[in-house]
Amino acid sequence: MNESCLAKIKGLLAYLYGQEEGAQTFNTLLSLIPIEMAKGHSAHNHEQLSEKDACLIAYGDMLQASENDASKPSQTALSRLRDFLELRNRGSFSYLHILPFHPYSSDDGFSVIDYRRIDPRLGDWDDVSSLAREYKLVFDLVLNHGSVQSVWFQSFLRNEEPYWDWYITRPADFDGTSVFRPRTHPILTPFVKSDGSTAFVWTTFSPDQVDYNFANPSVLLEFIKIFFEYIQHGARMIRLDAIAYIWKEDGTSCIHHPKTHAIIKLLRAVIDYLELDVLILTETNVPHDENLSYFGEDDEAHLVYNFALPPLVMHTAVLEDAGPLADWARTLPAPGEGPVFFNFLASHDGVGILPIKGLVDDKSFRKTIDTVIERGSLISHKNAESSPVPYEINCSYLSAVAPSSLGTVEERARVFLCCHAVLFALAGLPAVYFHSWIGSEQWVDGPRIYGYNRAINREKPCIDLIEAELSDSKSLRALVYAGLEKMLAFRRSEGAFAPAVPQKILLNKGSVFALVRGPDESGRYVLCLQNFGSKPEKYWLDEVPAIQTLTRQGILLEISLRPHETRWIAYGGSREMSMLKI
């Protein structure tokens, strides 16, 4: 154990709750620590993220059983997912993010009823343990809010100990004008308690999701217990969902509160104290500079979502202009100088619009929004002072950047793969949403069936349908899947793609986004060229390091790229040059 962390933990609790209550909370926290958990390897020597790491994001019941398959009548959803991954994941993904798997009442799992049970529709903890033997698992810790159907909240309504103060309440006439609102519904939702009184409970995201009161140290301690239990169940990364909102203080925006950062620092200090091989990932869908604050001073999140990447790549693909993407990429912290980006394009949620604020001209990005709406995307809004404003693009990323109107399935796949080439080339841990991996288009019936926009990218199809399409080498699914597997295999073979290896964003030339990763420890580089244009482009390699190594092997200083072509060239070190073309 790293005893030097204890003073930090004690100080953070004193900051959160005052000296006296903070000291009491500190003593209670120490008593909660499972002794056996303190026998791990040093956190400073844990297995480092490498070029061989990538993450797959999936719901536990992502695939439904075949209607005609009677061979596995009792198979759980999680074991079905495991079987599919055993067949289809050929070394591409080392991390598996299983989206919330607890009993829930709404929001596809993010309105948790019981944090200690597995939704019986998915399976049980044995199924999770089975996956943990094959993958480094990512669990969601939904800290900001829980379900109104939970025992905790029902006990709150009955004024029972200790739950009577576990949720945030305010008077009916509370003035919340200063509060940042990510949704359009009222911030307070009335609930009638067992004594006949009405409690107006803070509900940031929906009336079914009631916000916890972290000003009560008992709430924090309960979630730290759950945090430990997740690790014991096999979590190697813990995603802090909607973490930016957890601390509320009247008169403030109630987002990015200093005490929110203190809670993240506390969880990080607990990991460091116990020397656990566990990573913290923060989910903060906010403008880029605000998002970066969750790295702290290398004492908060180990990874943060790179929320600016999905809208920037979408903008690049739609307008065929790589300029804004390149300009932004040059401002990223240098690889190896602190925490790591969790890079992604699509997820169970939509493509956030807020993170692109200040990175792209509003009028220009409006063209992108209008285009993807024409392609079938939906727009979700949040409250603002004057009127609701666009908050999120709800879509299948494939349908948004490569619609059927674009051309053949081969052309569509190439556009989609070009987008993912950027995801895989940039420094960080790349993450791929399950529906992107299997080439899914938007589920147009989803929002109508379920009543919310995000359902457009949350279809849970029958496994036999997916297998049939993946087995058809000419289908869009098969072309996307094969291309992603090919890129990830190339990535795994080149140490220059490791998160800590330097990257250089090359001069932007129209539709071509170009960068070089390297040198790695062996002196090897990878040149990554992505042409987002629908026309051939020529790219001059005047900024490429160690260019003489390329020219000696017959590479011309001017490279011709086909429409939407991805070309990666690995060179230098003691190995032969290798090339990937898509």
mmCIF file of all heavy atoms in Angstrom, residues 124-167:
data_model
loop_
_atom_site.group_PDB
_atom_site.id
_atom_site.type_symbol
_atom_site.label_atom_id
_atom_site.label_comp_id
_atom_site.label_asym_id
_atom_site.label_seq_id
_atom_site.Cartn_x
_atom_site.Cartn_y
_atom_site.Cartn_z
ATOM 1 N N ASP A 124 -25.999 -13.267 -14.892
ATOM 2 C CA ASP A 124 -25.643 -13.106 -13.488
ATOM 3 C C ASP A 124 -24.162 -12.767 -13.374
ATOM 4 O O ASP A 124 -23.458 -12.613 -14.384
ATOM 5 C CB ASP A 124 -25.990 -14.365 -12.684
ATOM 6 C CG ASP A 124 -25.352 -15.627 -13.266
ATOM 7 O OD1 ASP A 124 -24.270 -15.516 -13.883
ATOM 8 O OD2 ASP A 124 -25.937 -16.715 -13.114
ATOM 9 N N TRP A 125 -23.686 -12.659 -12.134
ATOM 10 C CA TRP A 125 -22.291 -12.274 -11.922
ATOM 11 C C TRP A 125 -21.325 -13.323 -12.480
ATOM 12 O O TRP A 125 -20.181 -13.009 -12.829
ATOM 13 C CB TRP A 125 -22.018 -12.019 -10.443
ATOM 14 C CG TRP A 125 -22.513 -10.685 -9.963
ATOM 15 C CD1 TRP A 125 -23.519 -10.448 -9.068
ATOM 16 C CD2 TRP A 125 -22.017 -9.392 -10.354
ATOM 17 N NE1 TRP A 125 -23.685 -9.089 -8.874
ATOM 18 C CE2 TRP A 125 -22.769 -8.425 -9.650
ATOM 19 C CE3 TRP A 125 -21.019 -8.961 -11.221
ATOM 20 C CZ2 TRP A 125 -22.553 -7.059 -9.792
ATOM 21 C CZ3 TRP A 125 -20.800 -7.590 -11.371
ATOM 22 C CH2 TRP A 125 -21.560 -6.662 -10.663
ATOM 23 N N ASP A 126 -21.754 -14.585 -12.550
ATOM 24 C CA ASP A 126 -20.888 -15.609 -13.147
ATOM 25 C C ASP A 126 -20.609 -15.307 -14.618
ATOM 26 O O ASP A 126 -19.507 -15.552 -15.122
ATOM 27 C CB ASP A 126 -21.532 -16.994 -13.018
ATOM 28 C CG ASP A 126 -21.493 -17.519 -11.587
ATOM 29 O OD1 ASP A 126 -20.674 -17.022 -10.802
ATOM 30 O OD2 ASP A 126 -22.294 -18.421 -11.266
ATOM 31 N N ASP A 127 -21.630 -14.779 -15.318
ATOM 32 C CA ASP A 127 -21.426 -14.397 -16.718
ATOM 33 C C ASP A 127 -20.407 -13.266 -16.826
ATOM 34 O O ASP A 127 -19.567 -13.246 -17.741
ATOM 35 C CB ASP A 127 -22.753 -13.954 -17.341
ATOM 36 C CG ASP A 127 -23.715 -15.103 -17.538
ATOM 37 O OD1 ASP A 127 -23.305 -16.138 -18.067
ATOM 38 O OD2 ASP A 127 -24.893 -14.955 -17.149
ATOM 39 N N VAL A 128 -20.484 -12.327 -15.899
ATOM 40 C CA VAL A 128 -19.517 -11.225 -15.900
ATOM 41 C C VAL A 128 -18.116 -11.755 -15.613
ATOM 42 O O VAL A 128 -17.135 -11.366 -16.261
ATOM 43 C CB VAL A 128 -19.930 -10.151 -14.861
ATOM 44 C CG1 VAL A 128 -18.857 -9.067 -14.749
ATOM 45 C CG2 VAL A 128 -21.273 -9.528 -15.245
ATOM 46 N N SER A 129 -18.012 -12.659 -14.643
ATOM 47 C CA SER A 129 -16.709 -13.244 -14.312
ATOM 48 C C SER A 129 -16.114 -13.981 -15.506
ATOM 49 O O SER A 129 -14.898 -13.939 -15.741
ATOM 50 C CB SER A 129 -16.852 -14.205 -13.129
ATOM 51 O OG SER A 129 -17.262 -13.519 -11.964
ATOM 52 N N SER A 130 -16.966 -14.651 -16.273
ATOM 53 C CA SER A 130 -16.496 -15.365 -17.456
ATOM 54 C C SER A 130 -15.894 -14.391 -18.471
ATOM 55 O O SER A 130 -14.834 -14.653 -19.054
ATOM 56 C CB SER A 130 -17.656 -16.139 -18.089
ATOM 57 O OG SER A 130 -17.236 -16.814 -19.251
ATOM 58 N N LEU A 131 -16.546 -13.256 -18.672
ATOM 59 C CA LEU A 131 -16.013 -12.241 -19.581
ATOM 60 C C LEU A 131 -14.729 -11.622 -19.031
ATOM 61 O O LEU A 131 -13.813 -11.280 -19.789
ATOM 62 C CB LEU A 131 -17.065 -11.163 -19.828
ATOM 63 C CG LEU A 131 -18.216 -11.575 -20.751
ATOM 64 C CD1 LEU A 131 -19.381 -10.592 -20.630
ATOM 65 C CD2 LEU A 131 -17.749 -11.656 -22.203
ATOM 66 N N ALA A 132 -14.663 -11.486 -17.698
ATOM 67 C CA ALA A 132 -13.481 -10.883 -17.071
ATOM 68 C C ALA A 132 -12.238 -11.747 -17.254
ATOM 69 O O ALA A 132 -11.110 -11.239 -17.175
ATOM 70 C CB ALA A 132 -13.737 -10.644 -15.585
ATOM 71 N N ARG A 133 -12.427 -13.040 -17.504
ATOM 72 C CA ARG A 133 -11.279 -13.904 -17.755
ATOM 73 C C ARG A 133 -10.699 -13.694 -19.149
ATOM 74 O O ARG A 133 -9.559 -14.077 -19.423
ATOM 75 C CB ARG A 133 -11.680 -15.371 -17.552
ATOM 76 C CG ARG A 133 -11.910 -15.746 -16.091
ATOM 77 C CD ARG A 133 -12.044 -17.245 -15.910
ATOM 78 N NE ARG A 133 -13.314 -17.751 -16.412
ATOM 79 C CZ ARG A 133 -14.426 -17.840 -15.698
ATOM 80 N NH1 ARG A 133 -14.430 -17.427 -14.424
ATOM 81 N NH2 ARG A 133 -15.540 -18.333 -16.214
ATOM 82 N N GLU A 134 -11.500 -13.103 -20.039
ATOM 83 C CA GLU A 134 -11.074 -12.896 -21.422
ATOM 84 C C GLU A 134 -10.732 -11.440 -21.743
ATOM 85 O O GLU A 134 -9.945 -11.171 -22.650
ATOM 86 C CB GLU A 134 -12.185 -13.359 -22.373
ATOM 87 C CG GLU A 134 -12.600 -14.809 -22.207
ATOM 88 C CD GLU A 134 -11.490 -15.775 -22.565
ATOM 89 O OE1 GLU A 134 -10.676 -15.429 -23.450
ATOM 90 O OE2 GLU A 134 -11.432 -16.861 -21.960
ATOM 91 N N TYR A 135 -11.337 -10.510 -21.000
ATOM 92 C CA TYR A 135 -11.197 -9.083 -21.318
ATOM 93 C C TYR A 135 -10.924 -8.268 -20.062
ATOM 94 O O TYR A 135 -11.282 -8.670 -18.951
ATOM 95 C CB TYR A 135 -12.483 -8.548 -21.970
ATOM 96 C CG TYR A 135 -12.809 -9.193 -23.280
ATOM 97 C CD1 TYR A 135 -13.661 -10.301 -23.346
ATOM 98 C CD2 TYR A 135 -12.250 -8.724 -24.470
ATOM 99 C CE1 TYR A 135 -13.950 -10.911 -24.553
ATOM 100 C CE2 TYR A 135 -12.534 -9.333 -25.681
ATOM 101 C CZ TYR A 135 -13.383 -10.425 -25.718
ATOM 102 O OH TYR A 135 -13.656 -11.031 -26.918
ATOM 103 N N LYS A 136 -10.330 -7.114 -20.286
ATOM 104 C CA LYS A 136 -10.261 -6.103 -19.237
ATOM 105 C C LYS A 136 -11.599 -5.364 -19.283
ATOM 106 O O LYS A 136 -11.884 -4.660 -20.253
ATOM 107 C CB LYS A 136 -9.095 -5.141 -19.498
ATOM 108 C CG LYS A 136 -7.739 -5.830 -19.626
ATOM 109 C CD LYS A 136 -6.692 -4.853 -20.155
ATOM 110 C CE LYS A 136 -5.421 -5.565 -20.540
ATOM 111 N NZ LYS A 136 -4.425 -4.636 -21.134
ATOM 112 N N LEU A 137 -12.395 -5.544 -18.260
ATOM 113 C CA LEU A 137 -13.766 -5.033 -18.304
ATOM 114 C C LEU A 137 -13.844 -3.583 -17.852
ATOM 115 O O LEU A 137 -13.135 -3.146 -16.938
ATOM 116 C CB LEU A 137 -14.682 -5.891 -17.439
ATOM 117 C CG LEU A 137 -14.865 -7.348 -17.882
ATOM 118 C CD1 LEU A 137 -15.880 -8.049 -16.983
ATOM 119 C CD2 LEU A 137 -15.310 -7.433 -19.344
ATOM 120 N N VAL A 138 -14.757 -2.853 -18.477
ATOM 121 C CA VAL A 138 -15.086 -1.477 -18.108
ATOM 122 C C VAL A 138 -16.506 -1.482 -17.561
ATOM 123 O O VAL A 138 -17.435 -1.956 -18.224
ATOM 124 C CB VAL A 138 -14.990 -0.522 -19.315
ATOM 125 C CG1 VAL A 138 -15.224 0.922 -18.877
ATOM 126 C CG2 VAL A 138 -13.636 -0.670 -20.018
ATOM 127 N N PHE A 139 -16.679 -0.994 -16.323
ATOM 128 C CA PHE A 139 -17.998 -0.893 -15.689
ATOM 129 C C PHE A 139 -18.397 0.572 -15.602
ATOM 130 O O PHE A 139 -17.546 1.450 -15.401
ATOM 131 C CB PHE A 139 -17.979 -1.436 -14.259
ATOM 132 C CG PHE A 139 -17.864 -2.930 -14.121
ATOM 133 C CD1 PHE A 139 -17.579 -3.753 -15.207
ATOM 134 C CD2 PHE A 139 -18.017 -3.529 -12.885
ATOM 135 C CE1 PHE A 139 -17.465 -5.125 -15.058
ATOM 136 C CE2 PHE A 139 -17.904 -4.897 -12.721
ATOM 137 C CZ PHE A 139 -17.627 -5.700 -13.808
ATOM 138 N N ASP A 140 -19.698 0.826 -15.702
ATOM 139 C CA ASP A 140 -20.239 2.170 -15.480
ATOM 140 C C ASP A 140 -20.597 2.342 -14.012
ATOM 141 O O ASP A 140 -21.384 1.557 -13.465
ATOM 142 C CB ASP A 140 -21.502 2.390 -16.312
ATOM 143 C CG ASP A 140 -21.205 2.558 -17.780
ATOM 144 O OD1 ASP A 140 -20.758 3.642 -18.161
ATOM 145 O OD2 ASP A 140 -21.427 1.592 -18.539
ATOM 146 N N LEU A 141 -20.059 3.366 -13.391
ATOM 147 C CA LEU A 141 -20.497 3.759 -12.048
ATOM 148 C C LEU A 141 -21.365 5.000 -12.225
ATOM 149 O O LEU A 141 -20.864 6.098 -12.473
ATOM 150 C CB LEU A 141 -19.306 4.042 -11.142
ATOM 151 C CG LEU A 141 -19.626 4.340 -9.671
ATOM 152 C CD1 LEU A 141 -20.439 3.218 -9.041
ATOM 153 C CD2 LEU A 141 -18.354 4.583 -8.873
ATOM 154 N N VAL A 142 -22.675 4.803 -12.146
ATOM 155 C CA VAL A 142 -23.631 5.889 -12.385
ATOM 156 C C VAL A 142 -23.825 6.625 -11.064
ATOM 157 O O VAL A 142 -24.661 6.259 -10.229
ATOM 158 C CB VAL A 142 -24.962 5.349 -12.933
ATOM 159 C CG1 VAL A 142 -25.890 6.505 -13.315
ATOM 160 C CG2 VAL A 142 -24.716 4.453 -14.147
ATOM 161 N N LEU A 143 -23.035 7.673 -10.863
ATOM 162 C CA LEU A 143 -22.961 8.366 -9.579
ATOM 163 C C LEU A 143 -23.987 9.473 -9.416
ATOM 164 O O LEU A 143 -24.451 9.728 -8.304
ATOM 165 C CB LEU A 143 -21.568 8.985 -9.417
ATOM 166 C CG LEU A 143 -20.406 8.048 -9.093
ATOM 167 C CD1 LEU A 143 -19.088 8.802 -9.233
ATOM 168 C CD2 LEU A 143 -20.545 7.506 -7.691
ATOM 169 N N ASN A 144 -24.317 10.157 -10.474
ATOM 170 C CA ASN A 144 -25.138 11.365 -10.338
ATOM 171 C C ASN A 144 -26.569 11.077 -9.915
ATOM 172 O O ASN A 144 -27.163 11.844 -9.156
ATOM 173 C CB ASN A 144 -25.148 12.145 -11.651
ATOM 174 C CG ASN A 144 -25.962 13.415 -11.564
ATOM 175 O OD1 ASN A 144 -25.551 14.380 -10.918
ATOM 176 N ND2 ASN A 144 -27.147 13.435 -12.187
ATOM 177 N N HIS A 145 -27.122 9.965 -10.369
ATOM 178 C CA HIS A 145 -28.555 9.734 -10.201
ATOM 179 C C HIS A 145 -28.875 8.248 -10.184
ATOM 180 O O HIS A 145 -28.070 7.418 -10.622
ATOM 181 C CB HIS A 145 -29.336 10.398 -11.338
ATOM 182 C CG HIS A 145 -28.810 10.016 -12.697
ATOM 183 N ND1 HIS A 145 -27.899 10.780 -13.387
ATOM 184 C CD2 HIS A 145 -29.028 8.921 -13.474
ATOM 185 C CE1 HIS A 145 -27.591 10.190 -14.530
ATOM 186 N NE2 HIS A 145 -28.265 9.044 -14.609
ATOM 187 N N GLY A 146 -30.064 7.930 -9.692
ATOM 188 C CA GLY A 146 -30.547 6.555 -9.697
ATOM 189 C C GLY A 146 -32.034 6.530 -9.975
ATOM 190 O O GLY A 146 -32.690 7.569 -10.117
ATOM 191 N N SER A 147 -32.585 5.334 -10.020
ATOM 192 C CA SER A 147 -33.985 5.158 -10.384
ATOM 193 C C SER A 147 -34.932 5.496 -9.230
ATOM 194 O O SER A 147 -34.643 5.210 -8.064
ATOM 195 C CB SER A 147 -34.216 3.704 -10.811
ATOM 196 O OG SER A 147 -35.596 3.437 -10.962
ATOM 197 N N VAL A 148 -36.087 6.038 -9.593
ATOM 198 C CA VAL A 148 -37.130 6.292 -8.589
ATOM 199 C C VAL A 148 -37.711 4.984 -8.072
ATOM 200 O O VAL A 148 -38.380 4.961 -7.033
ATOM 201 C CB VAL A 148 -38.257 7.179 -9.167
ATOM 202 C CG1 VAL A 148 -37.719 8.532 -9.595
ATOM 203 C CG2 VAL A 148 -38.980 6.490 -10.317
ATOM 204 N N GLN A 149 -37.462 3.879 -8.763
ATOM 205 C CA GLN A 149 -37.972 2.578 -8.333
ATOM 206 C C GLN A 149 -37.025 1.845 -7.389
ATOM 207 O O GLN A 149 -37.343 0.741 -6.926
ATOM 208 C CB GLN A 149 -38.259 1.697 -9.554
ATOM 209 C CG GLN A 149 -39.357 2.226 -10.463
ATOM 210 C CD GLN A 149 -39.649 1.287 -11.624
ATOM 211 O OE1 GLN A 149 -39.400 0.096 -11.552
ATOM 212 N NE2 GLN A 149 -40.178 1.842 -12.708
ATOM 213 N N SER A 150 -35.902 2.436 -7.082
ATOM 214 C CA SER A 150 -34.934 1.766 -6.210
ATOM 215 C C SER A 150 -35.443 1.711 -4.778
ATOM 216 O O SER A 150 -36.264 2.532 -4.344
ATOM 217 C CB SER A 150 -33.601 2.515 -6.242
ATOM 218 O OG SER A 150 -33.711 3.775 -5.605
ATOM 219 N N VAL A 151 -34.946 0.733 -4.020
ATOM 220 C CA VAL A 151 -35.255 0.639 -2.586
ATOM 221 C C VAL A 151 -34.799 1.897 -1.877
ATOM 222 O O VAL A 151 -35.477 2.398 -0.963
ATOM 223 C CB VAL A 151 -34.583 -0.613 -1.987
ATOM 224 C CG1 VAL A 151 -34.681 -0.605 -0.464
ATOM 225 C CG2 VAL A 151 -35.207 -1.881 -2.551
ATOM 226 N N TRP A 152 -33.660 2.434 -2.298
ATOM 227 C CA TRP A 152 -33.147 3.644 -1.669
ATOM 228 C C TRP A 152 -34.156 4.792 -1.777
ATOM 229 O O TRP A 152 -34.467 5.450 -0.778
ATOM 230 C CB TRP A 152 -31.838 4.088 -2.313
ATOM 231 C CG TRP A 152 -30.688 3.144 -2.167
ATOM 232 C CD1 TRP A 152 -30.633 2.010 -1.411
ATOM 233 C CD2 TRP A 152 -29.419 3.260 -2.810
ATOM 234 N NE1 TRP A 152 -29.410 1.410 -1.538
ATOM 235 C CE2 TRP A 152 -28.637 2.141 -2.388
ATOM 236 C CE3 TRP A 152 -28.856 4.172 -3.691
ATOM 237 C CZ2 TRP A 152 -27.324 1.954 -2.824
ATOM 238 C CZ3 TRP A 152 -27.559 3.977 -4.130
ATOM 239 C CH2 TRP A 152 -26.796 2.880 -3.702
ATOM 240 N N PHE A 153 -34.661 5.037 -2.987
ATOM 241 C CA PHE A 153 -35.553 6.183 -3.163
ATOM 242 C C PHE A 153 -36.914 5.922 -2.518
ATOM 243 O O PHE A 153 -37.518 6.840 -1.939
ATOM 244 C CB PHE A 153 -35.742 6.520 -4.644
ATOM 245 C CG PHE A 153 -36.481 7.814 -4.861
ATOM 246 C CD1 PHE A 153 -35.902 9.030 -4.541
ATOM 247 C CD2 PHE A 153 -37.780 7.818 -5.362
ATOM 248 C CE1 PHE A 153 -36.586 10.229 -4.725
ATOM 249 C CE2 PHE A 153 -38.471 9.004 -5.555
ATOM 250 C CZ PHE A 153 -37.866 10.220 -5.230
ATOM 251 N N GLN A 154 -37.402 4.704 -2.589
ATOM 252 C CA GLN A 154 -38.671 4.402 -1.936
ATOM 253 C C GLN A 154 -38.550 4.564 -0.417
ATOM 254 O O GLN A 154 -39.486 5.018 0.244
ATOM 255 C CB GLN A 154 -39.129 2.988 -2.302
ATOM 256 C CG GLN A 154 -39.498 2.817 -3.783
ATOM 257 C CD GLN A 154 -40.567 3.801 -4.233
ATOM 258 O OE1 GLN A 154 -41.623 3.930 -3.599
ATOM 259 N NE2 GLN A 154 -40.297 4.506 -5.333
ATOM 260 N N SER A 155 -37.382 4.248 0.131
ATOM 261 C CA SER A 155 -37.139 4.474 1.562
ATOM 262 C C SER A 155 -37.055 5.962 1.861
ATOM 263 O O SER A 155 -37.509 6.419 2.934
ATOM 264 C CB SER A 155 -35.839 3.774 1.984
ATOM 265 O OG SER A 155 -35.938 2.380 1.798
ATOM 266 N N PHE A 156 -36.488 6.731 0.949
ATOM 267 C CA PHE A 156 -36.465 8.195 1.089
ATOM 268 C C PHE A 156 -37.887 8.746 1.175
ATOM 269 O O PHE A 156 -38.186 9.611 2.023
ATOM 270 C CB PHE A 156 -35.720 8.793 -0.114
ATOM 271 C CG PHE A 156 -35.996 10.250 -0.356
ATOM 272 C CD1 PHE A 156 -35.329 11.236 0.335
ATOM 273 C CD2 PHE A 156 -36.942 10.643 -1.316
ATOM 274 C CE1 PHE A 156 -35.588 12.587 0.099
ATOM 275 C CE2 PHE A 156 -37.204 11.980 -1.556
ATOM 276 C CZ PHE A 156 -36.524 12.966 -0.848
ATOM 277 N N LEU A 157 -38.769 8.241 0.326
ATOM 278 C CA LEU A 157 -40.156 8.721 0.342
ATOM 279 C C LEU A 157 -40.865 8.367 1.649
ATOM 280 O O LEU A 157 -41.830 9.033 2.037
ATOM 281 C CB LEU A 157 -40.931 8.137 -0.843
ATOM 282 C CG LEU A 157 -40.487 8.613 -2.236
ATOM 283 C CD1 LEU A 157 -41.301 7.912 -3.319
ATOM 284 C CD2 LEU A 157 -40.623 10.127 -2.371
ATOM 285 N N ARG A 158 -40.376 7.331 2.334
ATOM 286 C CA ARG A 158 -40.963 6.948 3.626
ATOM 287 C C ARG A 158 -40.201 7.568 4.792
ATOM 288 O O ARG A 158 -40.456 7.214 5.952
ATOM 289 C CB ARG A 158 -40.962 5.424 3.751
ATOM 290 C CG ARG A 158 -41.888 4.723 2.756
ATOM 291 C CD ARG A 158 -42.054 3.242 3.094
ATOM 292 N NE ARG A 158 -40.794 2.509 2.939
ATOM 293 C CZ ARG A 158 -40.420 1.907 1.819
ATOM 294 N NH1 ARG A 158 -41.209 1.952 0.737
ATOM 295 N NH2 ARG A 158 -39.275 1.255 1.766
ATOM 296 N N ASN A 159 -39.238 8.460 4.485
ATOM 297 C CA ASN A 159 -38.428 9.132 5.515
ATOM 298 C C ASN A 159 -37.664 8.149 6.391
ATOM 299 O O ASN A 159 -37.453 8.381 7.590
ATOM 300 C CB ASN A 159 -39.303 10.036 6.399
ATOM 301 C CG ASN A 159 -39.837 11.230 5.653
ATOM 302 O OD1 ASN A 159 -39.092 11.912 4.941
ATOM 303 N ND2 ASN A 159 -41.132 11.486 5.786
ATOM 304 N N GLU A 160 -37.204 7.045 5.802
ATOM 305 C CA GLU A 160 -36.508 6.021 6.564
ATOM 306 C C GLU A 160 -35.009 6.295 6.609
ATOM 307 O O GLU A 160 -34.430 6.818 5.654
ATOM 308 C CB GLU A 160 -36.764 4.647 5.936
ATOM 309 C CG GLU A 160 -38.211 4.187 6.057
ATOM 310 C CD GLU A 160 -38.461 2.879 5.338
ATOM 311 O OE1 GLU A 160 -37.533 2.357 4.674
ATOM 312 O OE2 GLU A 160 -39.600 2.368 5.440
ATOM 313 N N GLU A 161 -34.406 5.916 7.735
ATOM 314 C CA GLU A 161 -32.958 6.006 7.869
ATOM 315 C C GLU A 161 -32.294 4.941 6.997
ATOM 316 O O GLU A 161 -32.823 3.835 6.882
ATOM 317 C CB GLU A 161 -32.550 5.798 9.336
ATOM 318 C CG GLU A 161 -32.989 6.909 10.271
ATOM 319 C CD GLU A 161 -32.111 8.150 10.156
ATOM 320 O OE1 GLU A 161 -31.087 8.090 9.412
ATOM 321 O OE2 GLU A 161 -32.445 9.161 10.774
ATOM 322 N N PRO A 162 -31.131 5.194 6.436
ATOM 323 C CA PRO A 162 -30.438 6.491 6.408
ATOM 324 C C PRO A 162 -30.786 7.305 5.174
ATOM 325 O O PRO A 162 -30.131 8.294 4.873
ATOM 326 C CB PRO A 162 -28.972 6.048 6.345
ATOM 327 C CG PRO A 162 -29.008 4.817 5.484
ATOM 328 C CD PRO A 162 -30.306 4.124 5.812
ATOM 329 N N TYR A 163 -31.848 6.896 4.455
ATOM 330 C CA TYR A 163 -32.076 7.404 3.100
ATOM 331 C C TYR A 163 -32.813 8.736 3.035
ATOM 332 O O TYR A 163 -32.934 9.314 1.956
ATOM 333 C CB TYR A 163 -32.835 6.354 2.293
ATOM 334 C CG TYR A 163 -32.171 4.995 2.307
ATOM 335 C CD1 TYR A 163 -32.672 3.967 3.100
ATOM 336 C CD2 TYR A 163 -31.027 4.768 1.556
ATOM 337 C CE1 TYR A 163 -32.045 2.720 3.132
ATOM 338 C CE2 TYR A 163 -30.394 3.525 1.582
ATOM 339 C CZ TYR A 163 -30.910 2.511 2.379
ATOM 340 O OH TYR A 163 -30.288 1.285 2.410
ATOM 341 N N TRP A 164 -33.306 9.223 4.175
ATOM 342 C CA TRP A 164 -34.132 10.424 4.136
ATOM 343 C C TRP A 164 -33.386 11.641 3.580
ATOM 344 O O TRP A 164 -34.010 12.585 3.073
ATOM 345 C CB TRP A 164 -34.660 10.735 5.534
ATOM 346 C CG TRP A 164 -33.581 11.133 6.510
ATOM 347 C CD1 TRP A 164 -32.838 10.310 7.286
ATOM 348 C CD2 TRP A 164 -33.128 12.457 6.778
ATOM 349 N NE1 TRP A 164 -31.926 11.018 8.021
ATOM 350 C CE2 TRP A 164 -32.094 12.346 7.737
ATOM 351 C CE3 TRP A 164 -33.485 13.720 6.315
ATOM 352 C CZ2 TRP A 164 -31.416 13.463 8.226
ATOM 353 C CZ3 TRP A 164 -32.810 14.820 6.807
ATOM 354 C CH2 TRP A 164 -31.798 14.686 7.750
ATOM 355 N N ASP A 165 -32.026 11.587 3.617
ATOM 356 C CA ASP A 165 -31.231 12.722 3.133
ATOM 357 C C ASP A 165 -30.283 12.305 2.001
ATOM 358 O O ASP A 165 -29.257 12.929 1.787
ATOM 359 C CB ASP A 165 -30.428 13.309 4.305
ATOM 360 C CG ASP A 165 -29.803 14.657 3.961
ATOM 361 O OD1 ASP A 165 -30.401 15.406 3.160
ATOM 362 O OD2 ASP A 165 -28.709 14.959 4.481
ATOM 363 N N TRP A 166 -30.650 11.259 1.259
ATOM 364 C CA TRP A 166 -29.763 10.769 0.205
ATOM 365 C C TRP A 166 -30.009 11.441 -1.142
ATOM 366 O O TRP A 166 -29.260 11.213 -2.087
ATOM 367 C CB TRP A 166 -29.933 9.253 0.052
ATOM 368 C CG TRP A 166 -29.071 8.475 1.009
ATOM 369 C CD1 TRP A 166 -28.756 8.798 2.295
ATOM 370 C CD2 TRP A 166 -28.407 7.238 0.742
ATOM 371 N NE1 TRP A 166 -27.963 7.847 2.861
ATOM 372 C CE2 TRP A 166 -27.722 6.867 1.924
ATOM 373 C CE3 TRP A 166 -28.346 6.395 -0.355
ATOM 374 C CZ2 TRP A 166 -26.969 5.703 2.024
ATOM 375 C CZ3 TRP A 166 -27.595 5.233 -0.264
ATOM 376 C CH2 TRP A 166 -26.910 4.889 0.913
ATOM 377 N N TYR A 167 -31.041 12.243 -1.248
ATOM 378 C CA TYR A 167 -31.392 12.866 -2.525
ATOM 379 C C TYR A 167 -31.504 14.370 -2.348
ATOM 380 O O TYR A 167 -31.859 14.866 -1.275
ATOM 381 C CB TYR A 167 -32.693 12.270 -3.071
ATOM 382 C CG TYR A 167 -32.572 10.788 -3.355
ATOM 383 C CD1 TYR A 167 -32.866 9.855 -2.367
ATOM 384 C CD2 TYR A 167 -32.106 10.330 -4.577
ATOM 385 C CE1 TYR A 167 -32.704 8.498 -2.595
ATOM 386 C CE2 TYR A 167 -31.946 8.976 -4.822
ATOM 387 C CZ TYR A 167 -32.243 8.060 -3.820
ATOM 388 O OH TYR A 167 -32.074 6.717 -4.049
#
